Amino acid sequence: MSLTPSHRPALAEEVTGQLRGMIQSGEWPLQEKIPAEPELMASLGVSRGTLREAIKALAHSGMLEVRRGDGTYVRATSEIFGAAQRMYKEHTQEHVVEVRVGLDTQAARLATKHATADDIAGMRALLQERNDAWLAADYPAWARADWDFHERVALASGNPLLHELYVSFGGVFHDDLLRQQRRSGFNGTPHEGHDELADAIEARDEAAAVASVYRNLDFAADWLTS
């Protein structure tokens, strides 16, 4: 009796890629529920078993979350982001800041070499948005603009992998900012690591950019541990 090789794993991988593409394209937004199994089976032309294998693979990577009796939700736009979100929950805020030192300083170094005029203009606009939101006591908008500024620096590095790793900090960074904001005496618009950093990137001054990042993260570490 001879056995015929199964093509199911290859089909499941193909379907996994299709679902991943729907997430990465934004067709299925973050935090939203994906279509139900019958709809997906019909649109993809696959069996329930193959579809579930694909969903299981993306759930394992952290991109999807399966809720029994409710549905499946999008939790990340890439495997790196999904894995990072799970990993960060297992570590302290201090550990996250220590890792950010490496990413922020490298992003700053590279941005002094690769940032365009549009990048710098985008940073300046986000810093203005951040300051305006702080003065208006719109703290969610302030935290979002602050994070968007740091992400724009990472994007300006010209290294897409560094940018993707940096983006994975988004949820943790945003929560930490709002936690710090609630503490008495917190300054939400420090120049260190922000205006100073933008100035250094525009001047192509790598040493000044890195020094500014260190001052900002020392400030953040002090607030987390005090």
Side-chain angles (χ1 to χ4, degrees):
M1 176 179 176
S2 61
L3 297 176
T4 302
S6 172
H7 296 287
R8 188 174 180 184
L11 179 57
E13 289 174 13
E14 181 182 337
V15 174
T16 301
Q18 289 178 286
L19 301 186
R20 184 188 296 113
M22 293 175 186
I23 295 169
Q24 293 175 336
S25 70
E27 183 176 344
W28 292 347
L30 276 171
Q31 313 308 328
E32 296 294 323
K33 186 189 296 188
I34 71 172
E37 275 189 355
E39 181 179 342
L40 289 175
M41 289 164 57
S43 63
L44 297 170
V46 297
S47 68
R48 177 175 279 106
T50 298
L51 176 63
R52 287 185 174 178
E53 282 187 51
I55 289 176
K56 181 179 180 181
L58 292 178
H60 182 72
S61 74
M63 292 183 72
L64 294 177
E65 178 189 357
V66 180
R67 295 182 181 177
R68 289 183 179 275
D70 184 4
T72 301
Y73 290 79
V74 178
R75 289 294 180 247
T77 55
S78 74
E79 281 88 346
I80 288 178
F81 186 90
Q85 292 300 301
R86 294 200 317 272
M87 183 175 62
Y88 296 151
K89 294 177 183 178
E90 301 171 2
H91 298 281
T92 66
Q93 294 170 302
E94 290 78 10
H95 290 156
V96 172
V97 169
E98 288 167 0
V99 172
R100 273 195 62 199
V101 170
L103 291 178
D104 279 40
T105 53
Q106 186 63 3
R109 286 190 180 98
L110 291 172
T112 62
K113 296 178 174 65
H114 301 297
T116 65
D118 285 345
D119 288 326
I120 294 167
M123 293 176 201
R124 301 286 189 195
L126 287 166
L127 289 176
Q128 185 61 57
E129 183 180 330
R130 162 181 170 267
N131 291 344
D132 291 345
W134 179 262
L135 292 174
D138 185 350
Y139 300 120
W142 159 77
R144 186 166 52 253
D146 196 307
W147 166 249
D148 286 346
F149 166 78
H150 291 291
E151 186 186 330
R152 187 62 186 259
V153 174
L155 180 64
S157 73
N159 184 320
L161 178 57
L162 188 152
H163 177 244
E164 188 170 0
L165 288 169
Y166 202 88
V167 167
S168 72
F169 276 97
V172 175
F173 182 91
H174 189 270
D175 291 345
D176 282 349
L177 274 178
L178 292 178
R179 188 178 297 110
Q180 293 173 46
Q181 173 270 317
R182 290 191 290 268
R183 300 176 68 173
S184 176
F186 179 77
N187 173 21
T189 56
H191 294 293
E192 299 85 357
H194 298 87
D195 305 88
E196 282 185 359
L197 177 55
D199 290 342
I201 291 172
E202 186 170 22
R204 309 299 180 186
D205 189 335
E206 179 179 323
V210 171
S212 183
V213 167
Y214 275 121
R215 284 193 291 272
N216 179 53
L217 292 178
D218 285 344
F219 171 83
D222 287 344
W223 274 94
L224 288 173
T225 58
S226 63

